[in-house]
Structure formats: C-alpha cells, structure tokens
Amino acid sequence: MSRVLVIESSARQQGSVSRQLTEQFIARWKQAHPSDDVMVRDLAAQPVPHLDADLLGGWMKPADQQSEAEQAALARSNLLTEELLAADVLVLAAPMYNFGIPSTLKSWLDHVLRAGVTFKYTETGPQGLLSGKRAFVLTARGGIYAGGNLDQQEPYLRQALGFVGIHDVTFIHAEGLNMGAEFMEKGLAQAQAQLAQVA
Ligand SMILES: Cc1cc2nc3c(=O)[nH]c(=O)nc-3n(C[C@H](O)[C@H](O)[C@H](O)COP(=O)(O)O)c2cc1C
C-alpha cells in the first residue's frame, strides 16, 4: 500500500480546473491502486500560516527554551512535514496566480523544506533527504506558458522538490483556460489525456 498526499491550492472551491484535475487523478489512481491511502490537504480551506518569528523560534531553539507560541507553531509545522515524509506519492495542484504559484502553496513549501528534516547541508552542498518519492504537479493557467521562458511555476517547483530529493516529477499543464472556449476545451482535453496516461 502506498500513501498519496494531495495538496490543493486553488482559492476557489467551485469551478476550479486544478481541483477538477486532482479529482480525476484521485479517481483514476484509486481505480489502479485500490488499496492506496489518499489524503487531501486543502490549503484554501485551511491555510497554513506564513513563516513567522514563533515558527523560526520553534525550529531553532532547544525545546526547553521555547515559548508556548513557539511550541504551538512547531507542532503545526511538524504535522505538515510528517504528512510529506509519510507520503510515497505527492500530488500538487498549482493554479497560476500572477505568473507563479499561489501564496498558500508557497507557505506550505516554506514549512516542508526544512533543514535537518527534508534536506541537510553538507560540505559538498545541500542534500535532499526524501528519497523514493514521486510527484505529480497539476497546473491550471489562463494563458499558455509550458516550455517557454515565462513559465516560472515548473522551474521553481522542480527546484524546490529536487532540493528535498524528489526528482521524479511529472507536470501536467491545463493551459489557455482564459483564452476563449476553443483554447479552454483544447487545454483541458490535453491535460485530461495526459492525466489518464500517468495516473
Ligand atoms: C488572482 C489571479 C491571478 C491569475 N494570474 C494568472 C497569470 O499570471 N497567468 C495566467 O495564465 N493565468 C492567471 N490566472 C488565471 C488562472 O490561472 C486560471 O483561472 C486557473 O484556471 C486558476 O486555477 P483554478 O481553475 O484551479 O482555480 C489568474 C487568476 C487569478 C484568480
């Protein structure tokens, strides 16, 4: 049995294309792997806090020197990291907002890219500590960016995931969603076809 962790980040609960893609991904994945355990964390329904002084205190201070607020921040953050550590497969839903990923997803990454837990610094540079995991990133974009030098989502997410040791990453882009009905249908159909192959 594998564990699948799905991270939703569209601000909208209704009419979201990235949520539609994750729903299809989960349905297909469950069909192919009925005994797998799928967990969904919805960063819009339950946003994770931005990094703040309490969390940095919780990360950096010895337990006996932490304030109650630092302990609470650390416990919340540990939960996110533990969910990722326990997952074999990570599915990130990433709508494009202002050329990048939603700030909610950036916040989640700020929690889980954690020195000493998901990566470590060595004499030869940083080393990812998460091995053997696969990731799928399902993007939804109003325009068309894939393969071009204006795509700031895929390079960033590849770098962030690679940094913690997740190198097996498949991107599925639903693009052209705000460019009229024809582009939207084509963009969605292409993403769904790719999704049907990989999930
Ligand atoms: C605040 C905001 C910013 C957006 N910025 C971009 C953008 O920079 N480039 C783009 O192609 N589409 C942009 N879009 C369009 C979304 O990427 C598109 O509507 C996508 O379907 C959103 O994902 P969702 O359907 O899962 O909510 C933006 C949408 C919103 C609401």
Side-chain angles (χ1 to χ4, degrees), residues 27-63:
R28 287 192 169 273
W29 190 272
K30 280 186 172 166
Q31 221 174 4
H33 313 275
S35 59
D36 279 7
D37 182 35
V38 178
M39 182 199 155
V40 179
R41 175 165 284 281
D42 187 338
L43 300 175
Q46 287 183 302
V48 300
H50 285 147
L51 291 194
D52 60 12
D54 285 335
L55 180 57
L56 294 181
W59 278 356
M60 291 171 186
K61 287 184 192 171

PDB file of all heavy atoms in Angstrom, residues 27-63:
ATOM      1  N   ALA A  27      -9.482   9.703  -8.706  1.00  0.00           N
ATOM      2  CA  ALA A  27     -10.397   8.635  -9.145  1.00  0.00           C
ATOM      3  C   ALA A  27      -9.627   7.572  -9.930  1.00  0.00           C
ATOM      4  O   ALA A  27      -9.788   6.363  -9.698  1.00  0.00           O
ATOM      5  CB  ALA A  27     -11.516   9.226 -10.002  1.00  0.00           C
ATOM      6  N   ARG A  28      -8.770   8.025 -10.834  1.00  0.00           N
ATOM      7  CA  ARG A  28      -8.002   7.069 -11.651  1.00  0.00           C
ATOM      8  C   ARG A  28      -6.976   6.319 -10.804  1.00  0.00           C
ATOM      9  O   ARG A  28      -6.746   5.130 -10.982  1.00  0.00           O
ATOM     10  CB  ARG A  28      -7.276   7.807 -12.778  1.00  0.00           C
ATOM     11  CG  ARG A  28      -8.229   8.248 -13.856  1.00  0.00           C
ATOM     12  CD  ARG A  28      -7.491   8.710 -15.082  1.00  0.00           C
ATOM     13  NE  ARG A  28      -8.418   8.876 -16.170  1.00  0.00           N
ATOM     14  CZ  ARG A  28      -8.783   7.926 -16.995  1.00  0.00           C
ATOM     15  NH1 ARG A  28      -8.269   6.725 -16.881  1.00  0.00           N
ATOM     16  NH2 ARG A  28      -9.652   8.143 -17.962  1.00  0.00           N
ATOM     17  N   TRP A  29      -6.352   7.055  -9.911  1.00  0.00           N
ATOM     18  CA  TRP A  29      -5.323   6.417  -9.067  1.00  0.00           C
ATOM     19  C   TRP A  29      -5.968   5.327  -8.203  1.00  0.00           C
ATOM     20  O   TRP A  29      -5.430   4.223  -8.062  1.00  0.00           O
ATOM     21  CB  TRP A  29      -4.639   7.466  -8.191  1.00  0.00           C
ATOM     22  CG  TRP A  29      -3.433   6.911  -7.511  1.00  0.00           C
ATOM     23  CD1 TRP A  29      -3.391   6.264  -6.314  1.00  0.00           C
ATOM     24  CD2 TRP A  29      -2.094   6.890  -8.027  1.00  0.00           C
ATOM     25  NE1 TRP A  29      -2.104   5.859  -6.033  1.00  0.00           N
ATOM     26  CE2 TRP A  29      -1.290   6.228  -7.066  1.00  0.00           C
ATOM     27  CE3 TRP A  29      -1.491   7.376  -9.194  1.00  0.00           C
ATOM     28  CZ2 TRP A  29       0.083   6.031  -7.244  1.00  0.00           C
ATOM     29  CZ3 TRP A  29      -0.118   7.181  -9.356  1.00  0.00           C
ATOM     30  CH2 TRP A  29       0.641   6.524  -8.398  1.00  0.00           C
ATOM     31  N   LYS A  30      -7.143   5.626  -7.656  1.00  0.00           N
ATOM     32  CA  LYS A  30      -7.813   4.647  -6.784  1.00  0.00           C
ATOM     33  C   LYS A  30      -8.245   3.414  -7.582  1.00  0.00           C
ATOM     34  O   LYS A  30      -8.238   2.297  -7.064  1.00  0.00           O
ATOM     35  CB  LYS A  30      -9.024   5.282  -6.111  1.00  0.00           C
ATOM     36  CG  LYS A  30      -8.643   6.125  -4.905  1.00  0.00           C
ATOM     37  CD  LYS A  30      -9.873   6.606  -4.193  1.00  0.00           C
ATOM     38  CE  LYS A  30      -9.553   7.290  -2.890  1.00  0.00           C
ATOM     39  NZ  LYS A  30     -10.699   8.040  -2.362  1.00  0.00           N
ATOM     40  N   GLN A  31      -8.622   3.669  -8.843  1.00  0.00           N
ATOM     41  CA  GLN A  31      -9.008   2.550  -9.699  1.00  0.00           C
ATOM     42  C   GLN A  31      -7.810   1.612  -9.912  1.00  0.00           C
ATOM     43  O   GLN A  31      -7.920   0.397  -9.830  1.00  0.00           O
ATOM     44  CB  GLN A  31      -9.434   3.101 -11.046  1.00  0.00           C
ATOM     45  CG  GLN A  31     -10.650   2.442 -11.629  1.00  0.00           C
ATOM     46  CD  GLN A  31     -11.082   3.173 -12.900  1.00  0.00           C
ATOM     47  OE1 GLN A  31     -10.423   4.110 -13.363  1.00  0.00           O
ATOM     48  NE2 GLN A  31     -12.172   2.756 -13.467  1.00  0.00           N
ATOM     49  N   ALA A  32      -6.656   2.231 -10.173  1.00  0.00           N
ATOM     50  CA  ALA A  32      -5.451   1.445 -10.461  1.00  0.00           C
ATOM     51  C   ALA A  32      -4.800   0.893  -9.195  1.00  0.00           C
ATOM     52  O   ALA A  32      -4.121  -0.135  -9.236  1.00  0.00           O
ATOM     53  CB  ALA A  32      -4.445   2.302 -11.232  1.00  0.00           C
ATOM     54  N   HIS A  33      -4.986   1.590  -8.067  1.00  0.00           N
ATOM     55  CA  HIS A  33      -4.331   1.184  -6.806  1.00  0.00           C
ATOM     56  C   HIS A  33      -5.368   1.231  -5.682  1.00  0.00           C
ATOM     57  O   HIS A  33      -5.325   2.124  -4.819  1.00  0.00           O
ATOM     58  CB  HIS A  33      -3.187   2.144  -6.462  1.00  0.00           C
ATOM     59  CG  HIS A  33      -2.258   2.448  -7.600  1.00  0.00           C
ATOM     60  ND1 HIS A  33      -1.197   1.643  -7.930  1.00  0.00           N
ATOM     61  CD2 HIS A  33      -2.238   3.461  -8.499  1.00  0.00           C
ATOM     62  CE1 HIS A  33      -0.560   2.159  -8.982  1.00  0.00           C
ATOM     63  NE2 HIS A  33      -1.182   3.253  -9.344  1.00  0.00           N
ATOM     64  N   PRO A  34      -6.322   0.294  -5.682  1.00  0.00           N
ATOM     65  CA  PRO A  34      -7.450   0.386  -4.745  1.00  0.00           C
ATOM     66  C   PRO A  34      -7.045   0.384  -3.271  1.00  0.00           C
ATOM     67  O   PRO A  34      -7.766   0.929  -2.432  1.00  0.00           O
ATOM     68  CB  PRO A  34      -8.310  -0.841  -5.074  1.00  0.00           C
ATOM     69  CG  PRO A  34      -7.688  -1.508  -6.242  1.00  0.00           C
ATOM     70  CD  PRO A  34      -6.388  -0.852  -6.563  1.00  0.00           C
ATOM     71  N   SER A  35      -5.906  -0.207  -2.955  1.00  0.00           N
ATOM     72  CA  SER A  35      -5.564  -0.280  -1.518  1.00  0.00           C
ATOM     73  C   SER A  35      -4.764   0.944  -1.060  1.00  0.00           C
ATOM     74  O   SER A  35      -4.448   1.056   0.134  1.00  0.00           O
ATOM     75  CB  SER A  35      -4.802  -1.566  -1.218  1.00  0.00           C
ATOM     76  OG  SER A  35      -3.638  -1.594  -1.996  1.00  0.00           O
ATOM     77  N   ASP A  36      -4.441   1.850  -1.958  1.00  0.00           N
ATOM     78  CA  ASP A  36      -3.652   3.021  -1.553  1.00  0.00           C
ATOM     79  C   ASP A  36      -4.473   3.965  -0.686  1.00  0.00           C
ATOM     80  O   ASP A  36      -5.694   4.052  -0.806  1.00  0.00           O
ATOM     81  CB  ASP A  36      -3.135   3.787  -2.787  1.00  0.00           C
ATOM     82  CG  ASP A  36      -1.889   3.135  -3.378  1.00  0.00           C
ATOM     83  OD1 ASP A  36      -1.538   2.042  -2.914  1.00  0.00           O
ATOM     84  OD2 ASP A  36      -1.303   3.705  -4.297  1.00  0.00           O
ATOM     85  N   ASP A  37      -3.742   4.669   0.141  1.00  0.00           N
ATOM     86  CA  ASP A  37      -4.373   5.611   1.061  1.00  0.00           C
ATOM     87  C   ASP A  37      -4.172   7.028   0.490  1.00  0.00           C
ATOM     88  O   ASP A  37      -3.029   7.435   0.269  1.00  0.00           O
ATOM     89  CB  ASP A  37      -3.646   5.450   2.408  1.00  0.00           C
ATOM     90  CG  ASP A  37      -4.222   6.340   3.460  1.00  0.00           C
ATOM     91  OD1 ASP A  37      -5.439   6.553   3.441  1.00  0.00           O
ATOM     92  OD2 ASP A  37      -3.442   6.840   4.289  1.00  0.00           O
ATOM     93  N   VAL A  38      -5.272   7.728   0.225  1.00  0.00           N
ATOM     94  CA  VAL A  38      -5.169   9.070  -0.360  1.00  0.00           C
ATOM     95  C   VAL A  38      -5.594  10.100   0.680  1.00  0.00           C
ATOM     96  O   VAL A  38      -6.690  10.025   1.231  1.00  0.00           O
ATOM     97  CB  VAL A  38      -6.063   9.205  -1.616  1.00  0.00           C
ATOM     98  CG1 VAL A  38      -5.978  10.624  -2.177  1.00  0.00           C
ATOM     99  CG2 VAL A  38      -5.662   8.182  -2.679  1.00  0.00           C
ATOM    100  N   MET A  39      -4.715  11.037   0.943  1.00  0.00           N
ATOM    101  CA  MET A  39      -5.048  12.113   1.877  1.00  0.00           C
ATOM    102  C   MET A  39      -4.998  13.451   1.148  1.00  0.00           C
ATOM    103  O   MET A  39      -4.072  13.702   0.379  1.00  0.00           O
ATOM    104  CB  MET A  39      -4.031  12.125   3.017  1.00  0.00           C
ATOM    105  CG  MET A  39      -4.364  13.178   4.022  1.00  0.00           C
ATOM    106  SD  MET A  39      -3.022  13.635   5.077  1.00  0.00           S
ATOM    107  CE  MET A  39      -3.578  15.287   5.475  1.00  0.00           C
ATOM    108  N   VAL A  40      -6.012  14.286   1.393  1.00  0.00           N
ATOM    109  CA  VAL A  40      -6.060  15.590   0.737  1.00  0.00           C
ATOM    110  C   VAL A  40      -5.862  16.684   1.777  1.00  0.00           C
ATOM    111  O   VAL A  40      -6.564  16.722   2.792  1.00  0.00           O
ATOM    112  CB  VAL A  40      -7.422  15.809   0.024  1.00  0.00           C
ATOM    113  CG1 VAL A  40      -7.460  17.193  -0.633  1.00  0.00           C
ATOM    114  CG2 VAL A  40      -7.669  14.713  -1.020  1.00  0.00           C
ATOM    115  N   ARG A  41      -4.894  17.575   1.523  1.00  0.00           N
ATOM    116  CA  ARG A  41      -4.762  18.781   2.357  1.00  0.00           C
ATOM    117  C   ARG A  41      -5.127  19.974   1.492  1.00  0.00           C
ATOM    118  O   ARG A  41      -4.516  20.211   0.449  1.00  0.00           O
ATOM    119  CB  ARG A  41      -3.336  18.923   2.896  1.00  0.00           C
ATOM    120  CG  ARG A  41      -3.162  20.229   3.656  1.00  0.00           C
ATOM    121  CD  ARG A  41      -1.918  20.247   4.490  1.00  0.00           C
ATOM    122  NE  ARG A  41      -2.058  19.461   5.710  1.00  0.00           N
ATOM    123  CZ  ARG A  41      -2.687  19.880   6.818  1.00  0.00           C
ATOM    124  NH1 ARG A  41      -3.292  21.055   6.859  1.00  0.00           N
ATOM    125  NH2 ARG A  41      -2.743  19.113   7.883  1.00  0.00           N
ATOM    126  N   ASP A  42      -6.140  20.709   1.935  1.00  0.00           N
ATOM    127  CA  ASP A  42      -6.675  21.830   1.158  1.00  0.00           C
ATOM    128  C   ASP A  42      -6.169  23.139   1.765  1.00  0.00           C
ATOM    129  O   ASP A  42      -6.635  23.572   2.822  1.00  0.00           O
ATOM    130  CB  ASP A  42      -8.207  21.764   1.179  1.00  0.00           C
ATOM    131  CG  ASP A  42      -8.841  22.781   0.250  1.00  0.00           C
ATOM    132  OD1 ASP A  42      -8.181  23.784  -0.078  1.00  0.00           O
ATOM    133  OD2 ASP A  42     -10.002  22.560  -0.140  1.00  0.00           O
ATOM    134  N   LEU A  43      -5.239  23.771   1.073  1.00  0.00           N
ATOM    135  CA  LEU A  43      -4.601  24.984   1.611  1.00  0.00           C
ATOM    136  C   LEU A  43      -5.489  26.219   1.506  1.00  0.00           C
ATOM    137  O   LEU A  43      -5.198  27.241   2.112  1.00  0.00           O
ATOM    138  CB  LEU A  43      -3.283  25.244   0.881  1.00  0.00           C
ATOM    139  CG  LEU A  43      -2.242  24.131   0.984  1.00  0.00           C
ATOM    140  CD1 LEU A  43      -1.029  24.455   0.111  1.00  0.00           C
ATOM    141  CD2 LEU A  43      -1.808  23.901   2.432  1.00  0.00           C
ATOM    142  N   ALA A  44      -6.586  26.109   0.724  1.00  0.00           N
ATOM    143  CA  ALA A  44      -7.535  27.228   0.678  1.00  0.00           C
ATOM    144  C   ALA A  44      -8.523  27.112   1.834  1.00  0.00           C
ATOM    145  O   ALA A  44      -8.838  28.100   2.506  1.00  0.00           O
ATOM    146  CB  ALA A  44      -8.275  27.234  -0.655  1.00  0.00           C
ATOM    147  N   ALA A  45      -8.993  25.897   2.074  1.00  0.00           N
ATOM    148  CA  ALA A  45      -9.945  25.692   3.173  1.00  0.00           C
ATOM    149  C   ALA A  45      -9.259  25.853   4.527  1.00  0.00           C
ATOM    150  O   ALA A  45      -9.854  26.369   5.483  1.00  0.00           O
ATOM    151  CB  ALA A  45     -10.574  24.306   3.054  1.00  0.00           C
ATOM    152  N   GLN A  46      -8.016  25.403   4.601  1.00  0.00           N
ATOM    153  CA  GLN A  46      -7.260  25.502   5.864  1.00  0.00           C
ATOM    154  C   GLN A  46      -5.866  26.034   5.568  1.00  0.00           C
ATOM    155  O   GLN A  46      -4.897  25.263   5.468  1.00  0.00           O
ATOM    156  CB  GLN A  46      -7.146  24.125   6.508  1.00  0.00           C
ATOM    157  CG  GLN A  46      -8.426  23.609   7.111  1.00  0.00           C
ATOM    158  CD  GLN A  46      -8.182  22.279   7.783  1.00  0.00           C
ATOM    159  OE1 GLN A  46      -7.734  21.332   7.152  1.00  0.00           O
ATOM    160  NE2 GLN A  46      -8.461  22.206   9.070  1.00  0.00           N
ATOM    161  N   PRO A  47      -5.742  27.361   5.394  1.00  0.00           N
ATOM    162  CA  PRO A  47      -4.425  27.914   5.048  1.00  0.00           C
ATOM    163  C   PRO A  47      -3.398  27.640   6.148  1.00  0.00           C
ATOM    164  O   PRO A  47      -3.744  27.636   7.326  1.00  0.00           O
ATOM    165  CB  PRO A  47      -4.683  29.427   4.938  1.00  0.00           C
ATOM    166  CG  PRO A  47      -6.158  29.586   4.863  1.00  0.00           C
ATOM    167  CD  PRO A  47      -6.774  28.394   5.531  1.00  0.00           C
ATOM    168  N   VAL A  48      -2.181  27.396   5.729  1.00  0.00           N
ATOM    169  CA  VAL A  48      -1.133  27.221   6.738  1.00  0.00           C
ATOM    170  C   VAL A  48      -0.486  28.588   6.968  1.00  0.00           C
ATOM    171  O   VAL A  48      -0.374  29.382   6.041  1.00  0.00           O
ATOM    172  CB  VAL A  48      -0.088  26.157   6.304  1.00  0.00           C
ATOM    173  CG1 VAL A  48      -0.757  24.809   6.103  1.00  0.00           C
ATOM    174  CG2 VAL A  48       0.662  26.559   5.052  1.00  0.00           C
ATOM    175  N   PRO A  49      -0.086  28.873   8.194  1.00  0.00           N
ATOM    176  CA  PRO A  49       0.463  30.204   8.481  1.00  0.00           C
ATOM    177  C   PRO A  49       1.758  30.462   7.727  1.00  0.00           C
ATOM    178  O   PRO A  49       2.512  29.534   7.460  1.00  0.00           O
ATOM    179  CB  PRO A  49       0.736  30.165   9.980  1.00  0.00           C
ATOM    180  CG  PRO A  49       0.218  28.876  10.488  1.00  0.00           C
ATOM    181  CD  PRO A  49      -0.107  27.991   9.352  1.00  0.00           C
ATOM    182  N   HIS A  50       1.980  31.734   7.404  1.00  0.00           N
ATOM    183  CA  HIS A  50       3.284  32.119   6.874  1.00  0.00           C
ATOM    184  C   HIS A  50       4.350  31.876   7.921  1.00  0.00           C
ATOM    185  O   HIS A  50       4.060  31.830   9.125  1.00  0.00           O
ATOM    186  CB  HIS A  50       3.282  33.608   6.514  1.00  0.00           C
ATOM    187  CG  HIS A  50       2.531  33.912   5.261  1.00  0.00           C
ATOM    188  ND1 HIS A  50       1.843  35.074   5.061  1.00  0.00           N
ATOM    189  CD2 HIS A  50       2.360  33.201   4.134  1.00  0.00           C
ATOM    190  CE1 HIS A  50       1.289  35.072   3.875  1.00  0.00           C
ATOM    191  NE2 HIS A  50       1.571  33.934   3.293  1.00  0.00           N
ATOM    192  N   LEU A  51       5.579  31.756   7.461  1.00  0.00           N
ATOM    193  CA  LEU A  51       6.688  31.680   8.414  1.00  0.00           C
ATOM    194  C   LEU A  51       6.687  32.936   9.272  1.00  0.00           C
ATOM    195  O   LEU A  51       6.498  34.035   8.763  1.00  0.00           O
ATOM    196  CB  LEU A  51       8.024  31.643   7.666  1.00  0.00           C
ATOM    197  CG  LEU A  51       8.387  30.419   6.853  1.00  0.00           C
ATOM    198  CD1 LEU A  51       9.866  30.473   6.494  1.00  0.00           C
ATOM    199  CD2 LEU A  51       8.089  29.140   7.596  1.00  0.00           C
ATOM    200  N   ASP A  52       6.858  32.771  10.556  1.00  0.00           N
ATOM    201  CA  ASP A  52       6.939  33.945  11.425  1.00  0.00           C
ATOM    202  C   ASP A  52       7.967  33.670  12.545  1.00  0.00           C
ATOM    203  O   ASP A  52       8.590  32.601  12.574  1.00  0.00           O
ATOM    204  CB  ASP A  52       5.562  34.319  11.991  1.00  0.00           C
ATOM    205  CG  ASP A  52       4.949  33.201  12.818  1.00  0.00           C
ATOM    206  OD1 ASP A  52       5.662  32.230  13.155  1.00  0.00           O
ATOM    207  OD2 ASP A  52       3.754  33.294  13.147  1.00  0.00           O
ATOM    208  N   ALA A  53       8.120  34.631  13.417  1.00  0.00           N
ATOM    209  CA  ALA A  53       9.161  34.522  14.445  1.00  0.00           C
ATOM    210  C   ALA A  53       8.905  33.329  15.368  1.00  0.00           C
ATOM    211  O   ALA A  53       9.847  32.658  15.813  1.00  0.00           O
ATOM    212  CB  ALA A  53       9.227  35.807  15.257  1.00  0.00           C
ATOM    213  N   ASP A  54       7.611  33.040  15.635  1.00  0.00           N
ATOM    214  CA  ASP A  54       7.312  31.902  16.517  1.00  0.00           C
ATOM    215  C   ASP A  54       7.780  30.592  15.888  1.00  0.00           C
ATOM    216  O   ASP A  54       8.359  29.723  16.551  1.00  0.00           O
ATOM    217  CB  ASP A  54       5.801  31.835  16.804  1.00  0.00           C
ATOM    218  CG  ASP A  54       5.374  32.906  17.797  1.00  0.00           C
ATOM    219  OD1 ASP A  54       6.225  33.339  18.590  1.00  0.00           O
ATOM    220  OD2 ASP A  54       4.192  33.314  17.754  1.00  0.00           O
ATOM    221  N   LEU A  55       7.500  30.445  14.583  1.00  0.00           N
ATOM    222  CA  LEU A  55       7.896  29.191  13.944  1.00  0.00           C
ATOM    223  C   LEU A  55       9.418  29.078  13.879  1.00  0.00           C
ATOM    224  O   LEU A  55       9.983  28.018  14.176  1.00  0.00           O
ATOM    225  CB  LEU A  55       7.283  29.082  12.542  1.00  0.00           C
ATOM    226  CG  LEU A  55       7.658  27.790  11.824  1.00  0.00           C
ATOM    227  CD1 LEU A  55       7.244  26.562  12.628  1.00  0.00           C
ATOM    228  CD2 LEU A  55       7.041  27.731  10.443  1.00  0.00           C
ATOM    229  N   LEU A  56      10.068  30.162  13.510  1.00  0.00           N
ATOM    230  CA  LEU A  56      11.534  30.088  13.443  1.00  0.00           C
ATOM    231  C   LEU A  56      12.119  29.796  14.828  1.00  0.00           C
ATOM    232  O   LEU A  56      13.088  29.038  14.959  1.00  0.00           O
ATOM    233  CB  LEU A  56      12.108  31.377  12.849  1.00  0.00           C
ATOM    234  CG  LEU A  56      11.742  31.602  11.369  1.00  0.00           C
ATOM    235  CD1 LEU A  56      12.371  32.883  10.851  1.00  0.00           C
ATOM    236  CD2 LEU A  56      12.164  30.437  10.493  1.00  0.00           C
ATOM    237  N   GLY A  57      11.491  30.357  15.864  1.00  0.00           N
ATOM    238  CA  GLY A  57      11.922  30.056  17.233  1.00  0.00           C
ATOM    239  C   GLY A  57      11.729  28.573  17.527  1.00  0.00           C
ATOM    240  O   GLY A  57      12.603  27.907  18.099  1.00  0.00           O
ATOM    241  N   GLY A  58      10.567  28.051  17.130  1.00  0.00           N
ATOM    242  CA  GLY A  58      10.275  26.630  17.358  1.00  0.00           C
ATOM    243  C   GLY A  58      11.256  25.728  16.626  1.00  0.00           C
ATOM    244  O   GLY A  58      11.662  24.681  17.135  1.00  0.00           O
ATOM    245  N   TRP A  59      11.627  26.127  15.420  1.00  0.00           N
ATOM    246  CA  TRP A  59      12.593  25.319  14.649  1.00  0.00           C
ATOM    247  C   TRP A  59      13.980  25.380  15.267  1.00  0.00           C
ATOM    248  O   TRP A  59      14.709  24.399  15.259  1.00  0.00           O
ATOM    249  CB  TRP A  59      12.700  25.872  13.216  1.00  0.00           C
ATOM    250  CG  TRP A  59      11.627  25.421  12.283  1.00  0.00           C
ATOM    251  CD1 TRP A  59      10.631  24.533  12.519  1.00  0.00           C
ATOM    252  CD2 TRP A  59      11.462  25.853  10.918  1.00  0.00           C
ATOM    253  NE1 TRP A  59       9.842  24.395  11.399  1.00  0.00           N
ATOM    254  CE2 TRP A  59      10.333  25.187  10.406  1.00  0.00           C
ATOM    255  CE3 TRP A  59      12.142  26.750  10.099  1.00  0.00           C
ATOM    256  CZ2 TRP A  59       9.869  25.378   9.105  1.00  0.00           C
ATOM    257  CZ3 TRP A  59      11.696  26.935   8.799  1.00  0.00           C
ATOM    258  CH2 TRP A  59      10.568  26.256   8.309  1.00  0.00           C
ATOM    259  N   MET A  60      14.348  26.549  15.740  1.00  0.00           N
ATOM    260  CA  MET A  60      15.773  26.767  16.051  1.00  0.00           C
ATOM    261  C   MET A  60      16.141  26.661  17.531  1.00  0.00           C
ATOM    262  O   MET A  60      17.278  26.347  17.859  1.00  0.00           O
ATOM    263  CB  MET A  60      16.214  28.149  15.535  1.00  0.00           C
ATOM    264  CG  MET A  60      16.228  28.176  14.016  1.00  0.00           C
ATOM    265  SD  MET A  60      16.470  29.840  13.397  1.00  0.00           S
ATOM    266  CE  MET A  60      16.261  29.583  11.642  1.00  0.00           C
ATOM    267  N   LYS A  61      15.169  26.922  18.407  1.00  0.00           N
ATOM    268  CA  LYS A  61      15.546  26.910  19.832  1.00  0.00           C
ATOM    269  C   LYS A  61      15.409  25.513  20.424  1.00  0.00           C
ATOM    270  O   LYS A  61      14.504  24.769  20.031  1.00  0.00           O
ATOM    271  CB  LYS A  61      14.604  27.833  20.617  1.00  0.00           C
ATOM    272  CG  LYS A  61      14.837  29.298  20.378  1.00  0.00           C
ATOM    273  CD  LYS A  61      13.909  30.090  21.292  1.00  0.00           C
ATOM    274  CE  LYS A  61      13.869  31.540  20.936  1.00  0.00           C
ATOM    275  NZ  LYS A  61      12.818  32.250  21.685  1.00  0.00           N
ATOM    276  N   PRO A  62      16.217  25.164  21.407  1.00  0.00           N
ATOM    277  CA  PRO A  62      16.019  23.902  22.126  1.00  0.00           C
ATOM    278  C   PRO A  62      14.630  23.898  22.783  1.00  0.00           C
ATOM    279  O   PRO A  62      14.118  24.970  23.151  1.00  0.00           O
ATOM    280  CB  PRO A  62      17.111  23.917  23.192  1.00  0.00           C
ATOM    281  CG  PRO A  62      18.049  25.006  22.814  1.00  0.00           C
ATOM    282  CD  PRO A  62      17.338  25.954  21.918  1.00  0.00           C
ATOM    283  N   ALA A  63      14.041  22.716  22.916  1.00  0.00           N
ATOM    284  CA  ALA A  63      12.655  22.599  23.392  1.00  0.00           C
ATOM    285  C   ALA A  63      12.448  23.323  24.726  1.00  0.00           C
ATOM    286  O   ALA A  63      11.421  23.976  24.940  1.00  0.00           O
ATOM    287  CB  ALA A  63      12.275  21.131  23.523  1.00  0.00           C
TER     288      ALA A  63
END
